[in-house]
Amino acid sequence: MFRTSRRTPGRAVAAAVLAVAALAACQPEDTAAPQASPSQAARQPSETSPPEEPAPEGSVAPEGGRRLVDAEVAGGLRRRDGDGAVTDVPVDPGEMREGMTLVVTHFADPDGGDPIFFEGVDNVPEDTNRRREHLFRGMLEHIGWDPELGQPEAQPVADPGPLGGSVECLLASLAESGNVVCGWADEGTAAVALFPDSTLDEAGRLFVAMRGDLER
């Protein structure tokens, strides 16, 4: 059972009068403004600091990330426009997300033969080596490589050039020359190119030179 205290009315009134008088005697004429608590001060905007902008939604390309460009000239080869331009995307580039760039181009062969076909993507969301393998398979399907002949083995190019990363080429031919497919993969980009009637060494050197003009 809870107990409550009892007081006589006279004593209660007298105590209230004394408390009011004591409070009035202690109160100064110029009362200072109440101070904000630390938590309230933290929530109040500063007069000199600009308001904080909310962070933009969505992902953005990493700072300093490389991009692919549809260059007019790559490795000394001129891009084919007009009748010689690529009119579709013959090789599946893989998943494309907002912020990615797809470059699909034909470049003029200096010997006047079949054009060199290039396809690449930037701002790749997954491992770029996996994306390059996807492009390799697509390119082999594009040229009609017979899987019963085996899977061509990609060979690393000794000098990938100043852009680094990994550069590999594979020979899709039973002879020492024929269709060569080269591909690169680095931190954010992956690309392949088809070199008709070439060798691994020749295609590798030309591909590295083209990369210098196609990747920024």
Side-chain angles (χ1 to χ4, degrees):
M1 178 182 296
F2 294 97
R3 295 182 178 179
T4 58
S5 61
R6 298 180 179 176
R7 294 182 180 177
T8 60
R11 292 182 179 179
V13 173
V17 172
L18 291 176
V20 172
L23 179 61
C26 296
Q27 187 76 12
E29 294 182 359
D30 297 330
T31 305
Q35 299 294 322
S37 65
S39 59
Q40 291 173 331
R43 290 194 297 266
Q44 295 175 353
S46 171
E47 296 180 357
T48 58
S49 302
E52 295 182 0
E53 295 291 338
E57 296 182 358
S59 59
V60 296
E63 184 178 355
R66 295 173 180 171
R67 288 290 191 181
L68 296 186
V69 296
D70 192 8
E72 293 186 4
V73 177
L77 308 180
R78 184 163 295 277
R79 182 184 64 203
R80 283 195 169 183
D81 298 319
D83 294 338
V86 181
T87 57
D88 58 2
V89 183
V91 174
D92 177 19
E95 181 185 7
M96 296 295 296
R97 299 183 181 182
E98 184 179 357
M100 297 179 66
T101 305
L102 171 64
V103 177
V104 182
T105 310
H106 273 155
F107 289 97
D109 189 318
D111 296 330
D114 293 333
I116 294 172
F117 168 54
F118 173 85
E119 183 170 329
V121 291
D122 61 18
N123 202 14
V124 177
E126 81 274 11
D127 182 359
T128 54
N129 289 289
R130 293 175 55 190
R131 182 60 66 100
R132 178 177 58 182
E133 291 175 4
H134 178 87
L135 292 169
F136 269 148
R137 290 193 298 269
M139 191 68 81
L140 290 175
E141 293 176 0
H142 171 62
I143 64 177
W145 176 255
D146 187 354
E148 294 184 358
L149 298 176
Q151 182 70 25
E153 183 178 354
Q155 305 292 332
V157 175
D159 183 9
L163 294 174
S166 170
V167 180
E168 298 179 348
C169 295
L170 57 85
L171 177 62
S173 172
L174 298 180
E176 293 183 357
S177 63
N179 286 325
V180 177
V181 181
C182 293
W184 85 63
D186 55 28
E187 289 186 4
T189 71
V192 293
L194 172 63
F195 299 86
D197 193 21
S198 186
T199 65
L200 287 172
D201 290 341
E202 292 173 354
R205 287 194 296 269
L206 181 54
F207 186 60
V208 169
M210 294 174 63
R211 183 187 178 194
D213 296 316
L214 291 164
E215 184 176 10
R216 292 286 183 267

